[in-house]
Amino acid sequence: MRKLKLKTRMILTLGLLGALQTTLIGGFAGYYLSNSLYEEIGQRALMVAKTVAASPAIIDGIRSRDVPGLNALARRLAQTNQALFIVIGDDQAIRLAHPDAARLGFSMGDDDGDYGEEALIHGRAYVARAMGSLGESMRGKAPVIDPANQRILGIVSVGYSLSQVENTIGRYNLVLYGVVGLMLLVTAISAIVIAGRFKKAIFGLEPEEIAHLFRERDATLQSVREGIIAINRDGVITTANRAACDTLGLSPDTRLAGQHILDVLPDSTLLSVLESHQPDFDHEVWLQGRQMVVNRLPVRQGDEVIGVVASFRRRDELDLVSRQLTRIQQYADTLRSQTHEYSNKLHTIAGLIQIGAHDEALALISSETSDHQSLLHLLLEAVPDPIIAGCLLGKYNRARELGLHLDIDPDSAMEDIPDAMPRDQLVSVLGNLIENALEATRKHTGPGGQVRLSMTGLGEELIFEVEDQGPGVPEAAQQAIFERGVSSKGEDHGIGLHLVQQFLNRWGGSVTVENLPEGGSRFTLYLPKQPDETSNL
C-alpha cells in the first residue's frame, strides 16, 4: 500500500471500508429479515391454532369424536387461513383430523416426534418447527379446553410450509442484494470523487511530500529572526515561532498556538485586519513596553479572508543600522557644508594675504576659530547625543552657506533624551523644522537673516523651539501645513511637515505654530519622554 499513490490508496481504503460496511449491513438485514419472517409465521400459526381450538364446533366434534365432521371443518379452516394443514387430536394426541386420511387414528408424535405434552399436560400453546410428512413447517399448537369443566379435550396443530417463507425471503433477499450492490457502486464512485477532491485540495502532493514541506516550513519559520504570529478567522493563534516569544519577552516554553490572540496580547489590533481585509506594512507600534515595526497581511482563500499573519521586530534593532546611516549622512552633510564654506574663506584669506592685508586675514582667521569653538563647546555641553549634535552642526554650516545665521540659545540643555526614542526620526523632525525656517527666512529676509533654536529637556517633555524671520503662517493654514502635499513652495513639496506630524502621532507628541509680533513664526515641538502606547500589534 505504501508504494501506491495517495489517490489509489484512498480509493482502495474507502472502497473496501464501504464494501465491508455494506456487506455487514446487508448480512444483518437478511438475517434479521429471515428471523422476523419465521417468527411472524410462527405467531400466525399459533394465533390460528388458538382460534381453531376455541371454536365450539371443534370442541363438540372432539367430544363426539365426529371424525368426518372434524376433517371437513379442518380442511375448510386450513384453506381459509392459507395454512399447509390443520391437524386435530384427542387428549391422547390421537389424530381425529388430518389431510392424509391414512394417518387418522395414529399418534401425532409419529409425524414429528412431538406428542404435544406442553399443550395436553400443561395446557399451554406453543410454536414448534419440525419436518413432517407434508414437509418442513412452522407449527402452532394449542390445547382444546372444555369450557364447562376446563378439562383438556384434545390438541390443534396448525402448520405453515417453510418453503413459502423461504420463497418470500428469497424475493426480499433479491431486492436486498440489489440495494447492496447499488450501495457498493455508490461507495466506489464516492471514494473516487472524494479521493480526487482531497488530492486537489492538497495540491496533488503525496503525504511524504507534505511531511517534508512541513518540516521545511517549520525550520524556515524558526530560522527567521523576526517574530511571526498567525491567527485564524476566530482570532485563535495557529502559528508562532520562537522569535515571537523572544521579541515579546515571553518564556521560550510558552505555547502560543491554540490561544486566543487577545489572551496573549489584550490590545492587539490583528482582528481589525480580519474586518478591513487590508494589509498594513512597516507600522510602528508599542508592544509589551517595546517599540516594534509590524507587518500585517490577511490570508486569503479565494475571495475570503481566513486569517492574518503578522511579522514584527524590535525597533531598536532597526535603529542600530538606521543610526549608523544617519551618522554617516550627518557627517557627510557637515563635511560638505564645511568644505564649501571653508573653501570660500580660504580664498578670501589667500586674497587678503596677496594684497598685503595681513591684519585683516588674521582677524578673519581668529573670528572663524572663535565662532566654531564656541559652537562646538555649546553642543558638547548642551547636546551630548552625537547624532543630534551632528545634525545641528550641519544645519549651522548650512545656514552660513545661505548667508544666514543659526543662533542656538546658549541656555539650551538636551541631555535627557530617552534611549527608546528613534534618533533618525528625531533628527529628521528637527532637521525639517530648521530647514523650513532657513528657507522661509532666506526668501523673506535675505542674507543676514537669523533663525533661532532653543532646546530644553527638563520635566517630562523634550521641547524644541524654532523661530524664523519669514512671512509667518496665516492662522487658517496653521493646521493644514502638516497635511501631505500642502506647502507654500509649490508642487512636489509639503512632505517635511507631514513627516513631522506622523512622528508626533506615533510618539504622542504635539507641535504648535504661532506668529511673532516682530515678524516671522515660532514652531514649538513637544515630545513626551514616555511614548504613547495606544498603538499595538
Side-chain angles (χ1 to χ4, degrees):
M1 288 286 287
R2 293 183 178 179
K3 296 181 179 179
L4 299 176
K5 292 200 174 288
L6 176 62
K7 185 175 182 180
T8 305
R9 277 186 274 175
M10 289 189 64
I11 292 174
L12 290 176
T13 302
L14 293 175
L16 291 175
L17 181 60
L20 179 61
Q21 291 178 337
T22 304
T23 302
L24 290 176
I25 293 173
F28 174 77
Y31 175 77
Y32 181 77
L33 176 63
S34 299
N35 286 344
S36 297
L37 287 175
Y38 284 130
E39 183 178 353
E40 181 182 349
I41 292 298
Q43 292 301 315
R44 183 178 178 183
L46 184 62
M47 184 182 298
V48 174
K50 289 180 177 180
T51 303
V52 172
S55 172
I58 297 296
I59 296 174
D60 292 340
I62 293 176
R63 279 198 196 123
S64 61
R65 299 187 72 85
D66 182 7
V67 175
L70 288 173
N71 277 277
L73 183 58
R75 283 194 297 271
R76 187 168 64 252
L77 290 174
Q79 184 177 5
T80 301
N81 291 281
Q82 298 179 343
L84 177 63
F85 62 81
I86 294 180
V87 176
I88 302 173
D90 60 11
D91 56 357
Q92 300 299 318
I94 301 300
R95 297 187 187 96
L96 300 178
H98 193 279
D100 185 1
R103 291 184 174 270
L104 293 174
F106 295 96
S107 174
M108 294 174 66
D110 297 340
D111 194 25
D112 56 6
D114 182 7
Y115 293 94
E117 292 91 347
E118 186 76 15
L120 293 174
I121 297 176
H122 303 290
R124 291 193 291 264
Y126 64 96
V127 177
R129 178 176 176 175
M131 175 66 72
S133 60
L134 299 179
E136 188 176 15
S137 61
M138 185 68 74
R139 305 176 181 191
K141 297 185 178 184
V144 180
I145 301 175
D146 189 345
N149 53 22
Q150 297 299 311
R151 187 172 65 87
I152 296 175
L153 299 176
I155 185 172
V156 173
S157 177
V158 178
Y160 283 88
S161 174
L162 291 185
S163 63
Q164 296 175 345
V165 178
E166 291 171 355
N167 290 336
T168 302
I169 292 175
R171 291 196 303 271
Y172 286 167
N173 284 340
L174 184 62
V175 176
L176 181 62
Y177 295 151
V179 173
V180 169
L182 181 62
M183 290 177 65
L184 287 174
L185 179 61
V186 171
T187 300
I189 295 175
S190 300
I192 295 173
V193 172
I194 292 173
R197 291 189 175 180
F198 183 80
K199 188 76 171 179
K200 183 179 179 181
I202 60 175
F203 305 101
L205 299 173
E206 295 297 317
E208 295 77 10
E209 295 174 321
I210 295 176
H212 180 69
L213 288 175
F214 177 80
R215 286 191 291 268
E216 281 188 351
R217 188 216 65 145
D218 189 61
T220 302
L221 190 65
Q222 300 302 336
S223 67
V224 175
R225 293 185 62 188
E226 288 191 346
I228 296 177
I229 290 179
I231 63 172
N232 60 19
R233 69 186 71 190
D234 298 322
V236 177
I237 298 174
T238 57
T239 303
N241 62 353
R242 285 190 296 269
C245 294
D246 295 339
T247 305
L248 296 175
L250 302 176
S251 170
D253 298 329
T254 303
R255 182 173 178 81
L256 297 179
Q259 298 190 58
H260 198 280
I261 184 65
L262 296 182
D263 294 335
V264 179
L265 303 172
D267 297 325
S268 172
T269 57
L270 273 182
L271 296 178
S272 64
V273 181
L274 285 174
E275 299 175 0
S276 67
H277 297 181
Q278 298 300 318
D280 188 11
F281 298 105
D282 298 329
H283 186 66
E284 294 187 16
V285 302
W286 281 91
L287 187 64
Q288 304 287 76
R290 304 175 181 180
Q291 191 176 19
M292 306 281 184
V293 177
V294 183
N295 295 304
R296 295 176 289 193
L297 187 68
V299 180
R300 300 181 182 272
Q301 186 174 23
D303 296 332
E304 184 182 5
V305 174
I306 61 173
V308 179
V309 175
S311 64
F312 48 95
R313 192 167 184 174
R314 292 183 60 173
R315 184 69 173 82
D316 52 7
E317 293 181 5
L318 300 177
D319 283 344
L320 180 61
V321 177
S322 179
R323 287 174 184 175
Q324 294 175 348
L325 294 176
T326 301
R327 288 175 183 175
I328 293 174
Q329 183 178 3
Q330 293 298 327
Y331 294 153
D333 290 342
T334 302
L335 290 174
R336 178 183 59 81
S337 298
Q338 288 182 339
T339 300
H340 183 75
E341 180 185 359
Y342 283 116
S343 176
N344 294 330
K345 299 295 182 182
L346 287 174
H347 290 157
T348 302
I349 293 172
L352 290 173
I353 293 174
Q354 288 178 357
I355 63 176
H358 300 110
D359 293 337
E360 289 79 358
L362 290 174
L364 181 58
I365 293 173
S366 176
S367 174
E368 288 297 318
T369 302
S370 176
D371 289 345
H372 272 274
Q373 287 298 324
S374 298
L375 177 62
L376 291 175
H377 181 73
L378 172 62
L379 292 178
L380 287 175
E381 287 189 353
V383 190
D385 191 293
I387 297 179
I388 307 300
C391 172
L392 296 179
L393 182 59
K395 293 304 178 184
Y396 178 84
N397 292 319
R398 169 67 175 161
R400 299 190 65 171
E401 278 186 38
L402 299 175
L404 306 174
H405 182 67
L406 176 60
D407 182 17
I408 300 177
D409 188 346
D411 294 326
S412 294
M414 189 56 61
E415 301 178 356
D416 197 15
I417 302 176
D419 294 335
M421 182 172 291
R423 298 302 193 269
D424 60 325
Q425 296 186 38
L426 179 57
V427 164
S428 176
V429 168
L430 188 57
N432 277 322
L433 291 179
I434 295 174
E435 191 67 32
N436 285 347
L438 292 174
E439 185 70 17
T441 301
R442 183 183 68 84
K443 288 185 176 181
H444 187 71
T445 305
Q450 189 176 36
V451 172
R452 289 180 291 275
L453 171 64
S454 174
M455 302 174 289
T456 179
L458 301 177
E460 299 298 323
E461 292 180 314
L462 305 180
I463 302 175
F464 299 87
E465 290 186 355
V466 179
E467 297 180 2
D468 61 50
Q469 292 180 340
V473 181
E475 291 187 8
Q478 288 182 2
Q479 295 300 323
I481 58 174
F482 293 99
E483 298 178 6
R484 186 180 182 89
V486 176
S487 174
S488 61
K489 303 175 185 178
E491 296 183 1
D492 300 327
H493 291 82
I495 302 298
L497 292 180
H498 175 67
L499 294 177
V500 171
Q501 188 62 58
Q502 279 191 321
F503 173 70
L504 295 177
N505 292 339
R506 288 193 297 267
W507 192 262
S510 61
V511 61
T512 61
V513 183
E514 57 182 321
N515 292 320
L516 301 175
E518 65 272 17
S521 58
R522 177 191 294 130
F523 284 74
T524 306
L525 192 69
Y526 300 92
L527 292 174
K529 294 181 180 180
Q530 294 298 325
D532 184 6
E533 298 187 10
T534 58
S535 178
N536 291 287
L537 176 61

